């Protein structure tokens, strides 16, 4: 795929997309999360790029929504779908669904939607989805206790690029490696020339290290799983709850994640925990051990009755002897016991094992001193030994765990991707259930549309409170009806059904058939009379539409409001004639249906939303338009009601006033015939 051929993708964006593992798959499937992982691309922009790629694949001009009102209807129905998502990903992914005139695209989404509406959006699944997010790639992994070593500057540059997580050092010879080993827990020599050398410390010669970075830096793989640990666990729960049947070994992945801390270190290993705690506590343990020894000696000195003859005291003074000599002579056993107690405290406090305890014993000398003090050199050696042992064990465990998880990385990606896509499917399923939707037939061999039991999703009412509407149009039609009878709602219903059908999605109706239209022109009701310039612009727009209207659906709400009624009727009649001649499908809502029909040069269909009467001052309306029926207006119904009431009043009384009023209402009613 030529990335720059995608609408909205320039050279810079194409370079960013090329950094993805499989940009073609991401673009082809509308994987917004994968596209957003490219450098410098947000999720919102990723959705636009994905939509452009889909249009490119289906050779779709992307001009189905031809007017502002048509685009508003699309955003409204899309918003209803997005409201039913749990994850941000699903909301962005739905942005890749748009109304298209291309059959290949419509059928592609229909296949997806037909499977989606079979999903059961249970509360347990929706709750599990709350923790699922697109996986993140860690870009800040740095390892300080391990380094690469080489003698070659060119090899140095290769190492820096291949394994940026590790420091890279240049050395001249084996002595240089030995010096590095004193500063790093592990040194990895990457030159063949170092093979067979013997250097004190953890020095490994691995000439193929740059070809196997995962073995050298297991933190790279572990950081991925550590950073995404909670997301993966949530995806595992979604897979199990929804019974998705992932090909990923969920138990093994879960077990691997349980051995990993959030910072990428290995968890659950008792020996590593012991060494980690010992290395961290060695100074504190040594300080406490000093106190243990000195407290023991102080108590011994307080309780000891020491007698020194004058000649002995004089001899000690003449030799410059101090308390150490006195301790050696009088308290040797107590001093030895105090030192042994200090050593035991360090060994016990740090849980040291055989070999380590010998280093602990060197912390305190057998030479009598007071106060007892630790040997700082011995303390440094113990600290280094524990730290090195900790790092070596941690590295070994990291390598083992990284090797175990490495083969599960792609499976983990699919696991999360499937969970996120499930949220998209469940949003469609929830929409279909809540609005009682069905999959429509999008046809090429029939003209117009036919809707049975449709309920507009744009009405701010519960679905069960909306009266179902049946409406069918082939060619052009005028829609008449009383005020507040539902004419605009009927246009909204038609627009919603047509938009959703061309998106490949289920529509809010019991049954629906829709011609595959090239575009949708929906003109909302104009607020007030237009000035001369705006009027001219509107007429020009309809002139262009009338000339190229074949394959178009045109919905217009009360166009007569653009100018005075007499002129409006003539203009609308002329527009309908042109649309009819060009094979367009159109519905014009108008209160001038009768006048327009008389002026039109063809037998234009007039459908009516009829009010069957007034009940307690409220219109009682049959919401489904009646074919070939000019609906009565609200004023006519009111006059009729007044005439009927007047007749009833006359029958109850002989008053002349009621007779005159009844005659007046009857005369008015005749004017409507």
């Amino acid at each position: 795929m030529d990335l720059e051929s995608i609408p909205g993708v320039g050279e810079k964006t194409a370079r960013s997309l090329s950094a993805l593992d499989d940009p073609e798959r991401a673009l082809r499937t509308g994987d917004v999360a994968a596209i957003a992982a490219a450098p410098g691309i947000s999720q919102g922009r990723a959705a636009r790029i994905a939509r452009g790629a889909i249009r490119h694949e289906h050779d779709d001009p992307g001009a189905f929504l031809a007017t502002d009102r048509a685009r508003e209807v699309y955003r409204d129905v899309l918003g209803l779908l997005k409201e039913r998502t749990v994850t941000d990903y699903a909301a962005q992914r739905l942005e890749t669904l748009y109304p298209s005139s291309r059959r290949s695209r419509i059928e592609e989404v229909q296949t997806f939607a037909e499977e989606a509406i079979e999903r059961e959006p249970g509360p347990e699944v929706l709750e599990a989805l709350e923790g699922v997010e697109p996986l993140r790639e860690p870009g800040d992994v740095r390892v300080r206790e391990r380094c690469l070593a080489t003698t070659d500057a060119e090899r140095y540059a290769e190492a820096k690029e291949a394994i940026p997580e590790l420091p890279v050092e240049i050395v001249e010879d084996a002595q240089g490696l030995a010096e590095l080993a004193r500063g790093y827990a592990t040194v990895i020599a990457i030159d063949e020339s170092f093979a067979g050398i013997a250097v004190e410390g953890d020095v490994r010669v691995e000439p193929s290290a740059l070809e196997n970075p995962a073995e050298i830096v297991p933190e790279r793989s572990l950081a991925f799983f550590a950073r995404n640990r909670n997301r993966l666990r949530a995806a595992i729960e979604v897979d199990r709850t929804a019974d998705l049947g992932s090909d990923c070994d969920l138990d093994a992945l879960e077990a691997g994640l349980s051995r990993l801390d959030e910072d990428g270190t290995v968890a659950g290993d008792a020996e590593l925990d012991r060494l980690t705690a010992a290395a961290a506590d060695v100074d504190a343990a040594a300080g406490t051990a000093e106190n243990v020894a000195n407290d023991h000696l102080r108590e011994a000195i307080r309780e000891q009755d020491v007698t020194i003859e004058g000649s002995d005291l004089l001899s000690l003074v003449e030799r410059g002897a101090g308390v150490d000599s006195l301790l050696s002579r009088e308290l040797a056993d107590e001093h030895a016991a105090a030192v042994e107690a200090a050593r035991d405290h360090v060994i016990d406090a740090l849980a040291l094992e055989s070999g380590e305890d010998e280093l602990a014993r060197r912390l305190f000398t057998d030479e009598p001193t007071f106060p007892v003090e630790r040997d700082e050199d011995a303390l440094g050696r113990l600290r280094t030994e524990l730290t090195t042992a900790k790092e070596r064990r941690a590295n070994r465990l990291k390598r083992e765990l990284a090797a175990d998880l490495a083969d599960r990385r792609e499976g983990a990606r699919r696991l999360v991707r499937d969970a996120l896509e499930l949220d998209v499917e469940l949003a469609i399923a929830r929409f279909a259930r809540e609005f009682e939707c069905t999959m429509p037939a999008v046809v090429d061999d029939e003209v117009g549309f036919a809707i049975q039991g449709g309920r507009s999703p744009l009405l701010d009412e519960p679905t069960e409170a909306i009266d179902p509407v049946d409406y069918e149009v082939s060619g052009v039609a005028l829609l008449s009806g009383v005020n507040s009878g539902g004419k605009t709602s009927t246009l909204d219903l038609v627009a919603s059904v047509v938009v959703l059908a061309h998106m490949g999605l289920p529509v809010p109706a019991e049954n629906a058939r829709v011609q595959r239209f090239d575009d949708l022109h929906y003109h909302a009701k104009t607020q007030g009379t237009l000035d001369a310039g705006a009027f001219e612009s509107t007429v020009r727009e309809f002139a262009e539409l009338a000339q190229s209207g074949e394959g178009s659906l045109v919905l217009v709400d009360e166009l007569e409001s653009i100018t005075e009624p007499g002129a409006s009727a003539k203009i609308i009649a002329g527009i309908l004639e042109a649309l009819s001649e060009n094979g367009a499908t159109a519905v014009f809502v108008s209160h001038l249906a009768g006048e327009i029909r008389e002026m039109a040069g063809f037998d234009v269909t007039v459908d009516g939303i009829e009010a069957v009467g007034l009940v307690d001052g409220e219109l009682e309306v049959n919401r489904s338009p009646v074919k070939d029926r000019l609906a009565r207006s609200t004023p006519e119904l009111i006059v009729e009601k007044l005439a009927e009431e007047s007749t009833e009043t006359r029958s109850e009384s002989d008053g002349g006033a009621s007779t005159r009023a009844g005659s007046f209402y009857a005369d008015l009613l005749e004017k409507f015939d």
Side-chain angles (χ1 to χ4, degrees), residues 442-491:
V442 182
V443 300
D444 293 321
D445 55 353
E446 295 184 59
V447 176
F449 60 84
I451 300 170
Q452 294 179 0
R455 291 179 170 89
S456 172
L458 305 186
L459 288 173
D460 191 18
E461 297 283 347
T463 302
E464 59 273 13
I466 300 173
D467 293 330
V469 171
D470 298 339
Y471 194 32
E472 180 175 355
V473 171
S474 177
V476 299
L478 286 164
L479 181 59
S480 62
V482 296
N483 290 331
S484 302
K487 299 185 297 297
T488 299
S489 297
T490 299
L491 287 190

Side-chain angles (χ1 to χ4, degrees), residues 107-120:
E107 291 179 345
E108 181 179 70
V109 181
Q110 280 180 333
T111 300
F112 172 74
E114 285 168 351
E115 295 179 0
I117 60 178
E118 297 300 321
R119 295 285 190 188
E120 290 293 336

Side-chain angles (χ1 to χ4, degrees), residues 310-390:
S311 59
D312 290 336
L313 178 60
L314 180 61
S315 176
L316 287 170
V317 171
E318 288 176 345
R319 294 203 307 269
V323 70
D324 292 349
S325 179
L326 180 63
L327 286 172
S328 177
R329 197 186 75 175
E330 301 291 340
L331 298 171
D333 291 342
E334 294 297 340
H335 181 273
V339 168
E340 192 62 26
R343 291 167 175 167
D344 288 344
H345 175 81
V346 172
I347 293 170
D348 291 341
L350 301 182
L352 299 182
E353 296 184 348
S354 177
E356 299 165 345
D357 58 348
E358 290 303 317
L359 290 173
R361 292 187 177 282
R362 296 174 192 170
L363 289 178
F364 301 99
T365 179
D366 291 327
E367 292 296 321
T369 59
F370 185 81
V372 174
E373 294 181 346
R374 62 196 178 195
D375 184 321
E376 291 296 339
D377 289 340
L379 180 63
R381 286 192 293 274
L382 177 60
R383 186 188 304 111
T384 300
E385 181 67 23
L386 291 173
T387 300
T388 300
K390 177 197 74 171

Side-chain angles (χ1 to χ4, degrees), residues 65-83:
L65 302 167
T67 62
D68 289 341
R69 180 58 186 151
R71 287 184 282 272
E72 286 176 7
V73 170
Y74 164 64
R75 297 309 305 181
D76 287 345
V77 296
L78 183 64
L80 292 172
L81 286 160
K82 292 171 71 172
E83 286 174 7

Side-chain angles (χ1 to χ4, degrees), residues 34 69 75 90 105 133 200 218 250 256 279 291 384 423 438 531 612 633 671:
R69 180 58 186 151
R75 297 309 305 181
R105 174 57 181 170
E133 296 181 62
E200 185 177 350
L250 302 184
N291 294 333
T384 300
D423 191 21
T438 187
D531 59 31
V612 295
S633 65
K671 301 294 185 183

